[in-house]
Amino acid sequence: MKSFLVLLTAFVYAFQLGGCKHSSNNEPTVLVQDTTVYTAENYSAVTLDSFFLQNFLAQDTTLQIFSKDISAFYTRRNYQAAWFAGDSLSGQAKVFCID
């Protein structure tokens, strides 16, 4: 579970660092999301409990500005965990792992 939290935190920080750029008047740039990438098929056998996710986001105040985006992401995925392929870490997730 600790590895999952590390991966989730790394995902959020990577999103934060490479994410939104603000215009000169300090208004956030509105991006239109490509919803065609979401399908009805399962992404992963690993799922999150929605209460656990909401509780985690509420406790970590550094994620507060992203909590709606993270919640929407997992809602669209039917709370299937990101960074997993089948029941193990995906190749992309292994980049975040520190040995």
Side-chain angles (χ1 to χ4, degrees), residues 9-97:
T9 303
F11 168 74
V12 171
Y13 285 122
F15 178 76
Q16 182 179 14
L17 292 175
C20 304
K21 295 182 181 178
H22 295 283
S23 62
S24 60
N25 62 0
N26 291 332
E27 291 293 321
T29 304
V30 177
L31 300 175
V32 178
Q33 185 174 16
D34 180 6
T35 58
T36 62
V37 297
Y38 294 98
T39 66
E41 78 180 67
N42 290 337
Y43 297 97
S44 170
V46 180
T47 58
L48 299 175
D49 181 273
S50 59
F51 178 77
F52 170 81
L53 179 64
Q54 297 306 319
N55 191 38
F56 176 77
L57 293 173
Q59 288 180 2
D60 191 339
T61 58
T62 61
L63 302 176
Q64 190 172 27
I65 61 173
F66 301 108
S67 63
K68 287 182 182 179
D69 295 326
I70 294 169
S71 293
F73 172 79
Y74 281 105
T75 299
R76 282 190 306 273
R77 295 174 59 91
N78 198 26
Y79 290 93
Q80 294 175 52
W83 307 107
F84 283 85
D87 61 352
S88 62
L89 289 176
S90 68
Q92 295 84 352
K94 292 177 183 177
V95 173
F96 292 113
C97 292

